């Protein structure tokens, strides 16, 4: 049974006509080449354009691809407003990435990584000024995803289906080729390259593939269009070591050759030291570290895992201390716990539901 996919606009329909993705092939770029040749200047130069690699003007390389300014976000409660007493999931986050930069997004479970990526991918509405992708608001300016300039790959290819169950994986007796070839206006060389990089057998039947094989097809579909900004939410978790290494090499090349910008959230760090140009560490919904990789000694020394281990242990200790403080605050004067925690509301089709602590429908047990 086919189900929708977690790839933004896989068919590239919609505002496809508004192809803002065609970048200048002369003018500023040509002037920069002449200027650099004259001054003998070293440093970042726009790559010469080829059929697969559109030229990027020097001015475009200086403009931020992703800009987040004092971003705050709370998931709404049942009345559509932030739940009173709950801290925002993301608070005061600011960072900026230029074309060509690759950012590793790190943080403990529940830190807000997926939420940030979804906001950047236009899946949650936030004030226009707080998030700009390619100079536009990803939620409001839908041509960003419609054109394929902004691509988000995350989650599993599954959804809840009535009478079939929860988290039903995408399956159906159709081939991987029929999915991949079903996307219009794709450069055939790029498609073939991705099939090779991801080691996809076009004859795979989607109802008999393994999780990792299904993931490869999902990733392929998300990468078919030559994106300018790519958001990856732990998509390598099912891939074997070789598949992951080949994919990371491909993504790196996309940034170096086409000046694409990538944010990659992951919990798997082996072999990643030389991949990012930037590292963003998120904890408690706040940006704790945002630094160029060149300024992080542990990355130069191949000790990314040790660094993350230290960060996470520190975060855990802070979290435990905060919880202990909260517990103490919840005690009555005679030392009894005031139970304001979640309260079972019974079953709604197949699922337990509950009221949240301090939410508007909190049930207080006395
Ligand atoms: N739809 C939602 N409604 C309410 N709260 C949510 C929702 N989705 C996530 N949250 C909460 O927001 C917080 C951040 O979740 P998020 O999924 O962004 O974290 P994460 O850093 O991606 O975690 P992980 O590493 O486990 O994937 C968590 O406390 C989570 O419970």
């Amino acid at each position: 049974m086919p189900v929708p996919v977690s790839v933004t606009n896989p068919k590239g329909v919609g505002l496809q006509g508004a192809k803002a993705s065609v970048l200048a092939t002369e003018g500023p770029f040509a002037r920069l080449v002449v200027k650099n040749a004259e001054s003998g200047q070293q440093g970042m130069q726009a790559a010469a354009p080829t059929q697969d690699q559109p030229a990027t003007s020097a001015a475009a390389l200086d403009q931020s691809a992703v800009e987040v300014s004092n971003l705050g976000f709370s998931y709404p409660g049942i009345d559509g407003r932030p739940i009173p007493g709950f801290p925002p999931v993301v608070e005061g986050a600011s960072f900026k990435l230029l074309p060509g930069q690759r950012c590793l997004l790190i943080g403990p479970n529940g830190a807000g990584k997926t939420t940030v990526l979804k906001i950047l991918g236009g899946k949650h509405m936030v004030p226009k000024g707080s998030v700009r992708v390619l100079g536009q608001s990803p939620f409001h300016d839908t041509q960003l995803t419609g054109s394929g300039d902004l691509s988000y790959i995350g989650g599993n290819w599954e959804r809840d289906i009535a009478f079939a169950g929860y988290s039903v994986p995408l399956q159906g007796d159709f081939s991987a080729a029929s999915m991949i070839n079903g996307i219009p206006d794709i450069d055939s060389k790029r498609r073939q390259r991705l099939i090779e990089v991801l080691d996809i057998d076009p004859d795979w039947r989607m109802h008999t593939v393994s999780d990792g094989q299904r993931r490869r097809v999902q990733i392929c579909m998300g990468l078919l269009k030559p994106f300018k900004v790519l958001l990856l939410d732990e998509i390598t978790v099912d891939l074997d070591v070789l598949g992951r290494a080949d994919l990371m090499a491909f993504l790196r090349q996309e940034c170096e050759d086409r000046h694409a910008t990538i944010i990659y959230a992951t919990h798997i760090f082996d072999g990643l030291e030389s991949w990012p140009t930037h590292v963003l560490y998120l904890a408690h919904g706040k940006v704790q570290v945002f630094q160029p990789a060149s300024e992080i000694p542990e990355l130069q020394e191949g000790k990314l895992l040790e660094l993350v281990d230290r960060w996470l242990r520190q975060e855990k200790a802070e979290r435990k201390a905060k919880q202990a403080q909260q517990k103490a605050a919840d005690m009555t004067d005679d030392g009894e716990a005031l139970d304001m925690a979640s309260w079972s509301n019974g079953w709604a089709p197949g699922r337990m539901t509950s009221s949240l602590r301090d939410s508007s429908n909190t049930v207080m047990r006395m």
Side-chain angles (χ1 to χ4, degrees):
M1 185 182 307
V3 297
V5 299
S6 305
V7 170
T8 309
N9 192 34
K11 294 222 165 190
V13 293
L15 294 171
Q16 175 70 15
K19 272 205 169 153
S21 59
V22 183
L23 293 166
T25 53
E26 51 186 19
F29 168 71
R31 282 199 293 280
L32 177 80
V33 172
V34 173
K35 192 174 145 210
N36 286 348
E38 282 172 0
S39 63
Q41 180 188 333
Q42 299 295 311
M44 186 158 65
Q45 294 185 5
T50 66
Q51 197 182 2
D52 292 339
Q53 303 165 7
T56 304
S57 73
L61 293 180
D62 282 341
Q63 273 168 17
S64 58
V66 174
E67 189 157 3
V68 174
S69 317
N70 198 21
L71 171 68
F73 181 80
S74 296
Y75 284 100
I78 51 171
D79 59 357
R81 295 160 195 267
I83 301 171
F86 274 74
V89 173
V90 183
E91 202 176 355
S94 300
F95 62 92
K96 184 171 144 178
L97 290 166
L98 296 177
Q101 296 184 330
R102 302 176 293 280
C103 180
L104 210 53
L105 177 53
I106 298 172
N109 290 135
K113 301 180 296 298
T114 296
T115 305
V116 167
L117 288 180
K118 282 188 170 171
I119 292 170
L120 290 174
K123 294 172 190 301
H124 293 306
M125 185 170 70
V126 292
K128 279 187 180 179
S130 58
V131 171
R132 309 298 286 175
V133 173
L134 302 169
Q136 294 172 293
S137 162
F139 181 86
H140 301 88
D141 300 319
T142 51
Q143 72 274 17
L144 262 180
T145 45
S147 64
D149 284 350
L150 170 61
S151 180
Y152 167 93
I153 313 178
N156 291 325
W157 247 357
E158 60 186 28
R159 67 176 280 200
D160 303 340
I161 297 176
F163 309 112
Y166 293 105
S167 304
V168 177
L170 174 136
Q171 46 189 298
D173 190 6
F174 44 81
S175 66
S178 67
M179 296 198 72
I180 293 168
N181 295 331
I183 300 183
D185 303 326
I186 299 299
D187 176 63
S188 57
K189 274 195 212 149
R190 184 175 173 86
R191 178 167 28 223
Q192 196 47 42
R193 179 141 179 256
L194 276 165
I195 289 173
E196 279 161 25
V197 166
L198 289 159
D199 200 11
I200 292 171
D201 178 346
D203 291 333
W204 280 341
R205 308 302 296 182
M206 295 308 293
H207 67 311
T208 58
V209 287
S210 72
D211 290 344
Q213 290 167 337
R214 185 180 303 109
R215 181 73 85 174
R216 284 167 190 258
V217 179
Q218 179 188 10
I219 296 171
C220 179
M221 293 187 61
L223 301 181
L224 278 171
K225 290 203 165 236
F227 53 82
K228 290 183 189 161
V229 173
L230 175 66
L231 309 167
L232 300 172
D233 193 359
E234 192 41 298
I235 44 107
T236 56
V237 71
D238 304 314
L239 298 187
D240 61 37
V241 177
L242 189 60
R244 181 167 170 271
D246 288 351
L247 175 64
M248 296 316 287
F250 173 83
L251 295 175
R252 183 196 189 106
Q253 212 175 337
E254 290 280 277
C255 297
E256 290 175 352
D257 295 350
R258 299 197 301 104
H259 309 292
T261 304
I262 300 180
I263 304 181
Y264 171 43
T266 186
H267 293 293
I268 307 172
F269 302 108
D270 53 315
L272 271 192
E273 279 87 357
S274 64
W275 188 83
T277 60
H278 287 72
V279 171
L280 197 165
Y281 170 53
L282 199 66
H284 314 295
K286 294 185 182 153
V287 173
Q288 311 286 337
V289 175
F290 177 62
Q291 266 189 307
S294 57
E295 293 174 13
I296 302 178
E298 286 85 349
L299 284 179
Q300 319 309 318
E301 295 160 13
K303 293 181 176 163
L304 175 60
L305 189 58
E306 282 93 328
L307 175 68
V308 176
D309 184 273
R310 201 172 69 232
W311 281 343
L312 296 194
R313 282 182 196 286
Q314 191 182 336
E315 187 276 338
K316 188 176 172 185
E318 288 166 4
R319 188 162 29 86
K320 293 276 171 203
K322 221 170 161 181
Q323 281 167 353
Q325 239 176 13
Q326 181 68 51
K327 205 171 170 187
D330 284 352
M331 297 293 246
T332 60
D333 289 343
D334 44 7
E336 276 192 40
L338 247 181
D339 191 352
M340 302 263 294
S342 65
W343 179 257
S344 160
N345 294 338
W347 288 83
R351 267 188 189 176
M352 202 62 161
T353 62
S354 59
S355 301
L356 293 171
R357 177 194 175 84
D358 293 342
S359 66
S360 51
N361 64 341
T362 298
V363 178
M364 188 198 283
R365 274 181 278 164
M366 300 296 284

